[in-house]
Amino acid sequence: MDFQTEAYAPFSARLKHIYADMDQAWETAATHYGFHCDGCADNCCLTLFYHHTWLEYLCIREGFEALLPDVREAVTARAAEVRVNVGEAEKTGQPLRFMCPLNTDGLCQIYSHRPMICRLHGIAHELHPPGRDVVYGPGCGAFTAQTDGMDYFRFDRTPFYVAMSRLESELKAALGISDRIKMTIAEMIGTF
């Protein structure tokens, strides 16, 4: 997808404010629980997440394009390998556990541009879908192990989903995008 940097810039700035709010809420909940990800064997960067917003596609692209050329080349090669491995795993029914191509030696190469799920994943949470019962998510295995027996601390993802949805609608209207998106990070990188 082509986009003009100037047209995306105001959306990028607003998205970064939403991301900062997510990071603060996650940190508040993590601090309450004493939860940390250090040394986690169940690394969430091994989880195959699908991303559904053009906002995040463009943000990931922005972060990717800011990388040094040799880093971009290495990430692109890993992304191609992940796409092949996912295709093979899907054919054979193997688990879809492949390291995110943006992860190098345990560090995200575009950390400040990482998507919403990378910011919110891990901690028990709730969502308030309109007209439906509250949905509770348990958190990851490491979270469950570290917080066994602790009382639930309210971590409501709803405001972030609402803010993202509104901004996504504005972005699509401003850039004339009508298509939906459902891509992994490896798939996105293959389009850059």
Side-chain angles (χ1 to χ4, degrees), residues 138-161:
C140 68
F143 174 84
T144 302
Q146 290 178 37
T147 62
D148 187 33
M150 292 181 74
D151 290 337
Y152 173 68
F153 178 81
R154 188 169 188 250
F155 181 40
D156 184 2
R157 290 183 178 180
T158 310
F160 309 123
Y161 282 71

Side-chain angles (χ1 to χ4, degrees), residues 54-99:
W54 288 105
L55 273 171
E56 292 192 308
Y57 174 92
L58 294 173
C59 186
I60 290 167
R61 181 173 170 176
E62 180 180 62
F64 176 83
E65 289 177 350
L67 297 173
L68 295 172
D70 61 325
V71 176
R72 279 197 311 268
E73 187 177 314
V75 167
T76 299
R78 286 195 302 268
E81 186 178 325
V82 168
R83 290 191 306 273
V84 168
N85 290 339
V86 167
E88 290 300 315
E90 286 176 335
K91 287 179 193 171
T92 60
Q94 297 296 313
L96 300 175
R97 301 279 296 167
F98 303 103
M99 184 58 71

Side-chain angles (χ1 to χ4, degrees), residues 7-185:
Y8 172 63
F11 295 97
S12 175
R14 290 171 60 196
L15 178 59
K16 287 173 184 162
H17 285 291
I18 296 169
Y19 280 166
D21 291 343
M22 288 178 191
D23 293 345
Q24 180 58 53
W26 192 95
E27 189 59 40
T28 298
T31 298
H32 169 81
Y33 288 113
F35 174 65
H36 59 87
C37 298
D38 301 336
C40 177
D42 188 31
N43 189 328
C44 57
C45 295
L46 289 166
T47 305
L48 188 70
F49 291 113
Y50 285 96
H51 306 274
H52 300 273
T53 67
W54 288 105
L55 273 171
E56 292 192 308
Y57 174 92
L58 294 173
C59 186
I60 290 167
R61 181 173 170 176
E62 180 180 62
F64 176 83
E65 289 177 350
L67 297 173
L68 295 172
D70 61 325
V71 176
R72 279 197 311 268
E73 187 177 314
V75 167
T76 299
R78 286 195 302 268
E81 186 178 325
V82 168
R83 290 191 306 273
V84 168
N85 290 339
V86 167
E88 290 300 315
E90 286 176 335
K91 287 179 193 171
T92 60
Q94 297 296 313
L96 300 175
R97 301 279 296 167
F98 303 103
M99 184 58 71
C100 176
L102 289 167
N103 185 308
T104 303
D105 299 325
L107 299 175
C108 179
Q109 295 302 299
I110 62 160
Y111 190 77
S112 65
H113 290 80
R114 72 195 188 284
M116 174 173 58
I117 193 59
C118 301
R119 294 167 188 274
L120 298 179
H121 187 68
I123 294 179
H125 60 277
E126 60 191 71
L127 290 170
H128 298 259
R132 297 193 320 224
D133 291 340
V134 176
V135 176
Y136 293 94
C140 68
F143 174 84
T144 302
Q146 290 178 37
T147 62
D148 187 33
M150 292 181 74
D151 290 337
Y152 173 68
F153 178 81
R154 188 169 188 250
F155 181 40
D156 184 2
R157 290 183 178 180
T158 310
F160 309 123
Y161 282 71
V162 170
M164 289 283 291
S165 178
R166 287 182 180 146
L167 191 56
E168 174 78 355
S169 294
E170 290 180 40
L171 173 87
K172 289 174 75 173
L175 300 184
I177 301 170
S178 58
D179 297 336
R180 291 179 178 231
I181 185 172
K182 179 184 176 187
M183 299 176 101
T184 65
I185 286 178

